[in-house]
Amino acid sequence: MSVELHFNHRICEAAYGSSLFDCAETMGIKVPTSCRKQGKCKECLVEVLEGMEFLSRPGPAEAHLKENFRLSCSCRVTTPAGVVRCHTMRRGEMRIERHAFDLPASHKNLRLEPTVTRDGSKILLDGEEIERSDGPIHGLAMDLGTTTVVLRLLNLETGGIVADTSFENPQRFGGSDVMARIHYDCEDGTKLLQRTLAGYLSHAIEEFPVEPNSIYEMVVAGNSTMRDLFFRLNVYPIGQSPYRSITEVEMAEGRRPTTSVTESAKRLLLPIHPKARVYGLPIISGHVGADAAACMLAMDLANEQRLVAIMDIGTNTELIVGNKDRILAASCPAGPAFEGGRVSCGMPGLPGAIEGVGIRGDGSMDIRVIGEGSVEGICGSGLVALLSELLRTGRMNALGRFEQDEDRIAVTSGEDGEIYLSESDVNELAQAKGANVAGLRVVFNEYGIGFEDLDLFYLAGGFGRHIDLESSKRIGIIPDIDEAKIRQVGNASIEGACIALLSRAKRDELEALVKRVVHCRLETDPNFFDYFVEGCQFKALCSRQRAGAQA
Ligand code: FES
């Protein structure tokens, strides 16, 4: 007898007493490690989805881990029979948006002006010699998200992308949202979140096809919390009202000129050139972070005459509206529902996730699944499509109540049972939507415009890239505007980071631009609650004047 171990979609028989790490090795699965199974590096993380009761109790080396995360080198099978499902932090198979599309600005059509230059064999950083080498000069750009990390390696002399990679943020063991990570980091006091991420980054950098020593600069885009955690800054102020990065606090006190940060690669534990600089793009304000700033660079907002909106829908939705003359921004605490969190059969965009749903005339469901394996759950784009179809066919009303006296609606039967949506799931999704709608209402009101006044509406990020526009407009997660004005641009944040890496002028332009952005704090708007309640309903989102005219 042995335990049936499902590890990263592979299956083996795990003998009593064997560690998950050893089992992974026998299956040819590469588990990140820097300590060779000594329980010291904390990199061999796995998330246990099923069968925790068949594994040894967490030991001292695992005391830092929350929820169902374990160190695979310390975690052993303690029963002769059962089923255990687990996975390492995901890499290739997870649908992480690495690319950007249809953007006004790109690293490809940029005048190259990197801060790292060459004078013969001298390598200069801001004009100061840091190395002698005839080899190539490289730089790194990173989009550091709460859930995922995207890394691009560029040749700073040609501007070309040499390689890129992406992986799940291993800091998930400290909680799935930014508030949990802030709490974890403040309690921990040893910068373990940063050290763990640095370990994963080190492996990624070492796998790139260049000498790590030839990487002389790195530019980091990320939300305010992720950026500050990475730079080993005190994140306590971002977790407390009025939710400001320590860099924003210090700038307001006149102790620094900008919210951008620089640090040495060595202090951040990165295995690139020891004199390399790591530059964190400026934060706009509060939770409108350096990722939103990077998007502004990719949208060329400093030179944009048209009226545009940029919306990156996620756990924390960021919204920017304006043009070169006036820009407003807000962050909306939407929570993880549209990423599959807190939804019964929700899951990330992985193989096995339902990503599209249609309801046929006879009421049966027509589903589209990522990959070729069995159905395991529903990801964000599938949830949008399902809600839209339930609304269209009258099986759910605008308040999110099911019409046929049922408390859940089956979508399909998966390998492990039924995939369904319950009324309480709909409630979670309604609240996430409500936060986004409240953000849109507050910012557009403040600007004094209606949705139809926009020339362009950019949907940035992985979620925005994959949602169906008609479905999204029907349930009101995005404004009901002409689809010709909507651009699903993907990962604009990594593109912005690349632009800042390749052009000092663009970096300076962004530094000046973020200081001109006016932050609309949703929590202080007197109409916030009314907007939120309205936004919880599943119906098309029109400008208020237009909605009033139709009524
Ligand atoms: S391999 Fe280093 S802690 Fe497990």
Side-chain angles (χ1 to χ4, degrees), residues 21 32-44 71-74:
F21 198 127
T33 173
S34 300
C35 76
R36 297 173 188 239
K37 303 190 251 183
Q38 299 296 305
K40 292 179 183 162
C41 71
K42 318 288 188 205
E43 290 171 13
C44 62
L71 291 183
S72 60
C73 70
S74 305

Side-chain angles (χ1 to χ4, degrees), residues 455-476:
D455 294 306
L456 279 173
F457 186 89
Y458 291 109
L459 274 170
F463 179 83
R465 174 75 187 154
H466 294 288
I467 51 174
D468 176 70
L469 294 183
E470 192 182 332
S471 303
S472 305
K473 290 201 294 183
R474 181 177 291 124
I475 64 170

